[in-house]
Amino acid sequence: MNKLVRNELYKLFHKKSTYIYLFIITVLLVLISYISNKSIQLANNNDFDSMIATSQSNIESFKDNNKILDEFKDSYVQELANIDSLKLAKERNVDVLSAEYDYIKSKVYALYLVKYNVIENGYSYSDFGYLSEEDFNNKLNETIKKLDNFVPIEEVKNDLNNLNKEQLCKSVSKKYCDEYYNVYKSVLEYRINNNIPYTQHENSNVLTSYLEAYLTYLELRDNKNLSKEKKDEYREVLKTVKLTQYRMEHNLIDNKKNVDLGSASFIASPIDENTIFLIFGIIVIACGIFSEEFDKGTIKQLLIKPYSRNKIAVAKIITCLIATLIFLIYFIIVNILCGQLLISAFDINSTVLMYDYNLEKVLVYNGFQLIGLYLLYKLPYLILFTLIILLVSVITRNTAISAVSGFMLIILPEILSLLIDKFKPLAYLPFYTWRLDEFMFGGRSTIKQLTFNNSLILDIVYIVIFSISLIIVFKRTDIKNQ
Amino acid sequence: MSIVKVDKINKKFGKKQILHDVSFEINEGEILGFIGPNGAGKTTTIKLMLGLQSIDSGSVTINGYDLKKDFEKAIKGVGGIIESPDMYMYLSGRQNLKLIANMYKGITKKDIEDLIKLVGLEKRIDDKVSKYSLGMRQRLGIAAALISKPNVLILDEPTNGLDPQGILEIRELIKKLAKENKMAIMISSHNLSELENFITDACIIQNGKIVSNSSIKKLKSLDVSKYRFKLNKTRGIKTLFGNNNIEVIDDETFEIEVEKKDINSILKKLISNDFEIYSLYKVSMSLEEAFIKETGGNVIE
Ligand SMILES: Nc1ncnc2c1ncn2[C@@H]1O[C@H](COP(=O)(O)OP(=O)(O)OP(=O)(O)O)[C@@H](O)[C@H]1O
Ligand SMILES: [Mg+2]
């Protein structure tokens, strides 16, 4: 058996098609990393001119015969403020995600609101405002002067100094007032200690969302009779709260400190979003191992050796799974290398925080551990996918049909998902039950009937059924004349 | 001693019965020619014997093991080529042989080298098989069939694509294997004359039925022979003897197939009918003709 598997692998890895496939996929993976890296760079680039152009074209769309339409007045004013702020930022070389930019924009916007009288009533007419053009310009210049002395974190310090418990507690019921006050205060302190001013940066946004989530969290926490939707909401809110708390405690709020929640999915992408790559791989393997041997007649040589057909079939299945795994690991390595070399922000050794819904706890992994875990959950998928294509390949002995069946396995679940509500048993088809990774860290399937347990049991049943059918079909196959 | 025993095997494809109660045996040191026209069922029989297709009824026993029940043991002693020697084209000849050697125990590098020499492929063995000529592939196929040191060799049209020299070499090789290694060898062909000089036994299959099965010696010693008469004229010969077994060659010559003991009466009949007899001699029959004689019809339909 061992010998058979080794022979099969030997054949597979002496074939041109295997290497052509690996080469093409490598090129694709490198290209994808390169492009995504480029687009990250572009997004980070302050391309003021194009942003200004966008705003200007937006403004044109609010006008009719050069008159601003009433219903767009708010947006019109916003875009005017945008343009001015962007021009200023460009002049002074200010990052659009920075606190300075936020400061400029909010001030300019306020001025425009007054100028166009948007604040008082929504429908005053264009070109009529409280501020004269001159006043407006003066005030704008004042603002710009202030900017020279602007220290973003001072805003936060101001807020902390002026923190008013009663004011704050308006948004939360009395019994939680103290708690909310303390949390609010701790966030402000954290901002000051770690120099995180109010910006549109991820690190600032995390803290802002944390406070929002905390409000909901307080509202739902002690309520024993939550409706189903509320329970789900609580689940998500709790996640945000716990994760942020963990990150604050361990000083991991700042993105630069190698916290990369996205890295797991990035590394695992060959099995996930890029399943299509792997499908090509499985088709290459399955066809090489079954249909091609039938096509070329070499199967006869194999079948007249002193091994039962069962053994040969099992050896071929095992070979297929091993080869799939080898391809997969190869992709992951290529992806990691691409990540290390092309995407500056990415590091396989970076800490990855995962929140487990069931444990209601934050778990810490490094990239390798996470990949391992992810593969484990993906295993039934890989095995079942391979088995189904092999089965088609053995039944039809036709490479084209096997290839098409692989694509059907990707497309069908999307199409059939529309019918699941009407035909409940559809949910138990393998291409829904094999999505075990959805259940990682206490996650839920998008299909209500499926739980981790019933999916896993069904997967095992399917694996047994498909393997046995594969062996039986292979055993019964008459070797036809050429 | 019978090494291979095929006993009343039947095979249907759909409704079409391809093999009817096919039975024969191959003994140690025997070379069985398995002869029949295109579509007679030679390849099908061989496939059944090697377990490549299922047997509807009947049994195949090799080295005392039933093929169905004890496949691994039965097939262990068998080497074979079916239809054409299908090798992995993207591998070299040596890699192909190694793959096969891997599947058996105790086959050494030297065994493989010896085989390569035996089939005369030393110079090209490291080339990809895709670059081989058909004849070279046949040689490689024979080497592959012999790797496991089998005592049964089953070859489906093994001389396909070989040049006369190649055919001669393969024949010598097969003769040697049968004689020295005491192998039981089966060779199928639609061409009887190609085999007649070196097979020891012949089995004729027609439309899925074995129509004749006997040793070459016996066939050749059949009493029936052909005699050639030279006369002053041949007109009226056919009416004289009936149309039976008579072939008029020209105005003065005819041939007739009869047993020895009938010669006298033929002579008497000729003389009493005013034929002048110039000469009479026995024409030796080819194997093919002997078969035609025995099966009472044309082998190739
Ligand atoms: N898979 C199949 N399905 C239906 N009929 C088949 C099949 N394989 C073979 N046959 C039929 O069985 C008969 C015997 O075929 P087989 O290949 O055994 O002939 P053969 O004696 O080897 O001929 P050849 O000298 O041409 O190789 C033929 O009539 C063929 O049409
Ligand atoms: Mg044939």
Side-chain angles (χ1 to χ4, degrees):
Chain A
M1 183 68 116
N2 192 353
K3 287 178 189 168
L4 287 178
V5 174
R6 247 188 292 158
N7 268 5
E8 292 293 335
L9 284 172
Y10 184 90
K11 284 184 267 179
L12 196 61
F13 286 100
H14 274 82
K15 242 187 263 179
K16 258 194 209 139
S17 57
T18 308
Y19 292 98
I20 293 174
Y21 162 74
L22 285 176
F23 176 75
I24 291 174
I25 301 300
T26 309
V27 169
L28 280 176
L29 286 177
V30 172
L31 253 165
I32 287 172
S33 307
Y34 180 76
I35 290 169
S36 63
N37 189 33
K38 263 272 159 336
S39 64
I40 289 171
Q41 278 176 0
L42 278 182
N44 286 338
N45 229 344
N46 291 311
D47 187 358
F48 294 106
D49 292 332
S50 76
M51 285 190 274
I52 291 172
T54 314
S55 288
Q56 255 152 5
S57 75
N58 283 346
I59 282 180
E60 288 314 307
S61 67
F62 302 142
K63 282 186 187 165
D64 186 28
N65 286 333
N66 268 341
K67 225 176 126 195
I68 292 110
L69 295 169
D70 282 348
E71 65 262 41
F72 292 133
K73 189 147 184 185
D74 285 3
S75 320
Y76 175 72
V77 168
Q78 223 162 41
E79 294 295 359
L80 283 180
N82 263 350
I83 294 173
D84 276 2
S85 319
L86 286 168
K87 280 181 181 162
L88 265 176
K90 187 184 175 185
E91 235 173 71
R92 308 174 67 95
N93 206 6
V94 169
D95 184 356
V96 284
L97 291 179
S98 69
E100 282 89 344
Y101 182 75
D102 272 6
Y103 175 79
I104 295 171
K105 199 176 155 187
S106 65
K107 298 292 184 223
V108 174
Y109 183 50
L111 283 173
Y112 269 106
L113 286 179
V114 181
K115 183 181 176 189
Y116 284 94
N117 198 17
V118 180
I119 270 180
E120 296 291 342
N121 45 35
Y123 32 82
S124 80
Y125 290 102
S126 61
D127 293 335
F128 172 80
Y130 282 0
L131 285 179
S132 67
E133 195 68 30
E134 204 188 324
D135 283 346
F136 178 80
N137 284 337
N138 285 339
K139 294 238 175 196
L140 194 58
N141 283 335
E142 257 172 56
T143 310
I144 294 167
K145 261 184 212 141
K146 270 190 203 157
L147 198 57
D148 293 333
N149 306 320
F150 176 69
V151 181
I153 202 67
E154 289 299 324
E155 274 190 319
V156 183
K157 284 182 182 162
N158 265 343
D159 280 359
L160 184 62
N161 291 337
N162 303 332
L163 193 60
N164 181 335
K165 201 167 182 177
E166 258 155 52
Q167 183 84 21
L168 200 63
C169 285
K170 274 180 191 164
S171 47
V172 63
S173 51
K174 246 206 184 97
K175 52 178 172 171
Y176 300 127
C177 182
D178 283 340
E179 190 179 345
Y180 187 56
Y181 175 78
N182 287 334
V183 168
Y184 201 97
K185 206 171 139 203
S186 71
V187 168
L188 289 181
E189 283 164 358
Y190 187 88
R191 278 182 182 274
I192 293 166
N193 291 340
N194 294 281
N195 193 20
I196 305 176
Y198 303 123
T199 64
Q200 295 304 316
H201 273 298
E202 155 75 8
N203 56 3
S204 174
N205 287 342
V206 165
L207 295 170
T208 315
S209 325
Y210 172 54
L211 288 176
E212 274 169 31
Y214 211 91
L215 277 177
T216 322
Y217 166 69
L218 286 177
E219 205 180 288
L220 303 174
R221 186 177 59 190
D222 297 328
N223 194 336
K224 291 279 175 288
N225 307 315
L226 289 177
S227 69
K228 215 185 153 299
E229 285 101 64
K230 286 284 169 193
K231 262 187 194 155
D232 289 349
E233 197 184 344
Y234 181 70
R235 228 167 105 90
E236 293 306 322
V237 164
L238 190 65
K239 173 182 180 176
T240 311
V241 169
K242 292 259 174 165
L243 255 178
T244 318
Q245 276 174 354
Y246 186 95
R247 290 174 72 179
M248 282 169 73
E249 272 164 35
H250 294 81
N251 244 336
L252 292 170
I253 290 291
D254 210 319
N255 236 352
K256 285 175 196 131
K257 288 186 181 162
N258 270 348
V259 177
D260 192 353
L261 292 163
S263 59
S265 62
F266 176 74
I267 303 158
S269 62
I271 18 177
D272 216 27
E273 292 115 59
N274 304 343
T275 319
I276 200 98
F277 293 165
L278 201 62
I279 284 163
F280 284 129
I282 295 178
I283 292 168
V284 167
I285 302 166
C287 295
I289 277 184
F290 278 105
S291 349
E292 198 186 297
E293 290 230 32
F294 282 103
D295 279 353
K296 303 241 162 101
T298 45
I299 192 80
K300 287 180 294 190
Q301 271 302 331
L302 197 55
L303 293 182
I304 60 169
K305 297 291 174 293
Y307 293 92
S308 70
R309 286 211 188 181
N310 291 350
K311 280 185 196 158
I312 292 172
V314 172
K316 280 183 176 283
I317 294 171
I318 290 175
T319 307
C320 228
L321 294 175
I322 292 176
T324 307
L325 218 62
I326 291 175
F327 283 7
L328 191 65
I329 289 169
Y330 172 75
F331 291 168
I332 289 175
I333 290 172
V334 171
N335 255 6
I336 290 174
L337 289 180
C338 286
Q340 303 280 33
L341 300 179
L342 297 176
I343 300 179
S344 38
F346 174 77
D347 181 7
I348 181 75
N349 290 313
S350 65
T351 318
V352 183
L353 302 182
M354 300 303 295
Y355 174 77
D356 191 308
Y357 287 103
N358 289 340
L359 303 175
E360 299 189 346
K361 225 171 104 178
V362 174
L363 305 172
V364 186
Y365 294 96
N366 70 32
F368 287 112
Q369 289 170 321
L370 207 58
I371 291 172
L373 200 66
Y374 193 75
L375 278 181
L376 203 63
Y377 277 79
K378 276 283 182 185
L379 212 55
Y381 164 73
L382 292 177
I383 296 176
L384 272 173
F385 200 105
T386 308
L387 282 178
I388 292 176
I389 296 185
L390 284 183
L391 193 56
V392 177
S393 168
V394 171
I395 292 173
T396 64
R397 285 182 243 157
N398 184 311
T399 310
I401 295 177
S402 316
V404 170
S405 74
F407 291 108
M408 290 311 282
L409 284 179
I410 303 178
I411 301 162
L412 262 184
E414 306 302 325
I415 298 170
L416 291 181
S417 65
L418 305 171
L419 299 174
I420 284 187
D421 282 340
K422 282 190 192 145
F423 305 104
K424 297 238 151 53
L426 282 183
Y428 301 111
L429 287 172
F431 39 67
Y432 297 116
T433 59
W434 72 31
R435 297 171 173 177
L436 282 187
D437 56 303
E438 287 187 328
F439 300 106
M440 273 176 96
F441 306 112
R444 287 173 181 166
S445 168
T446 42
I447 297 161
K448 278 177 237 122
Q449 296 99 297
L450 295 179
T451 64
F452 177 77
N453 287 337
N454 68 20
S455 294
L456 182 64
I457 291 170
L458 277 173
D459 285 343
I460 292 170
V461 171
Y462 282 132
I463 288 174
V464 171
I465 291 176
F466 288 136
S467 309
I468 293 177
S469 339
L470 190 56
I471 292 169
I472 291 176
V473 173
F474 186 71
K475 195 169 180 171
R476 294 253 171 109
T477 302
D478 267 359
I479 306 304
K480 299 269 157 62
N481 294 354
Q482 257 121 31
Chain B
M1 188 195 122
S2 136
I3 295 180
V4 178
K5 189 163 190 276
V6 175
D7 192 21
K8 290 193 176 161
I9 53 173
N10 283 281
K11 179 72 181 173
K12 265 187 184 172
F13 284 123
K15 278 183 187 157
K16 201 172 155 207
Q17 181 93 24
I18 300 296
L19 297 181
H20 308 260
D21 285 339
V22 169
S23 306
F24 56 87
E25 288 180 23
I26 317 173
N27 297 322
E28 206 177 84
E30 254 179 33
I31 305 173
L32 175 74
F34 194 57
I35 298 140
N38 292 131
K42 302 180 297 286
T43 300
T44 307
T45 306
I46 288 177
K47 281 184 176 170
L48 296 195
M49 288 171 70
L50 294 171
L52 291 174
Q53 291 181 349
S54 61
I55 301 172
D56 292 349
S57 71
S59 72
V60 174
T61 314
I62 301 171
N63 286 321
Y65 296 106
D66 185 273
L67 189 78
K68 262 193 215 166
K69 288 181 207 137
D70 259 331
F71 176 79
E72 288 175 51
K73 281 180 185 153
I75 207 75
K76 199 168 189 154
V78 183
I81 300 180
I82 311 103
E83 282 178 309
S84 57
D86 297 300
M87 297 290 162
Y88 298 102
M89 295 290 201
Y90 51 87
L91 298 178
S92 73
R94 194 192 301 276
Q95 286 171 324
N96 266 293
L97 293 181
K98 257 190 204 156
L99 274 185
I100 295 169
N102 283 345
M103 289 192 269
Y104 296 92
K105 277 195 195 101
I107 290 159
T108 61
K109 265 205 174 128
K110 188 171 169 297
D111 293 338
I112 297 179
E113 296 309 314
D114 289 349
L115 265 180
I116 294 170
K117 256 183 228 143
L118 190 69
V119 295
L121 272 179
E122 303 99 311
K123 279 187 191 142
R124 303 291 303 273
I125 196 67
D126 287 311
D127 288 0
K128 289 239 165 80
V129 177
S130 55
K131 292 180 185 155
Y132 282 18
S133 69
L134 181 57
M136 290 160 77
R137 289 216 301 276
Q138 289 286 10
R139 288 161 192 257
L140 184 63
I142 289 173
L146 290 173
I147 279 191
S148 60
K149 300 170 187 160
N151 67 344
V152 178
L153 193 59
I154 298 178
L155 307 171
D156 195 9
E157 319 234 3
T159 46
N160 240 349
L162 290 181
D163 50 27
Q165 179 63 27
I167 293 177
L168 216 67
E169 282 171 26
I170 296 295
R171 267 186 212 169
E172 289 311 310
L173 175 63
I174 289 171
K175 268 196 232 171
K176 198 174 120 195
L177 289 170
K179 211 171 188 180
E180 291 174 12
N181 300 10
K182 295 232 180 330
M183 287 175 81
I185 300 177
M186 170 172 177
I187 296 176
S188 86
S189 176
H190 53 266
N191 191 348
L192 181 58
S193 53
E194 189 198 291
L195 296 184
E196 68 179 288
N197 292 328
F198 76 110
I199 56 179
T200 61
D201 288 77
C203 182
I204 303 244
I205 182 166
Q206 234 178 326
N207 293 323
K209 286 184 194 128
I210 301 293
V211 289
S212 153
N213 188 356
S214 47
S215 81
I216 296 297
K217 271 189 201 140
K218 189 182 140 217
L219 270 176
K220 288 201 165 171
S221 68
L222 271 180
D223 261 353
V224 182
S225 288
K226 203 179 260 183
Y227 295 88
R228 176 173 285 211
F229 287 81
K230 254 194 150 98
L231 312 170
N232 59 342
K233 56 172 184 181
T234 50
R235 202 157 6 106
I237 282 289
K238 284 206 170 180
T239 35
L240 190 61
F241 294 103
N243 260 342
N244 276 348
N245 302 334
I246 272 199
E247 194 181 347
V248 177
I249 310 276
D250 57 39
D251 284 351
E252 301 186 329
T253 330
F254 78 96
E255 287 179 354
I256 186 162
E257 277 171 35
V258 283
E259 288 178 34
K260 242 186 218 157
K261 60 177 165 53
D262 295 330
I263 298 280
N264 261 351
S265 63
I266 289 176
L267 285 173
K268 273 182 195 154
K269 218 171 187 180
L270 285 172
I271 291 165
S272 62
N273 281 287
D274 287 341
F275 285 97
E276 289 174 27
I277 300 160
Y278 300 147
S279 70
L280 156 66
Y281 55 94
K282 187 175 160 191
V283 187
S284 84
M285 265 168 109
S286 75
L287 193 55
E288 185 152 15
E289 286 167 312
F291 270 116
I292 294 168
K293 180 73 208 148
E294 200 184 70
T295 57
N298 200 346
V299 174
I300 317 278
E301 288 189 326

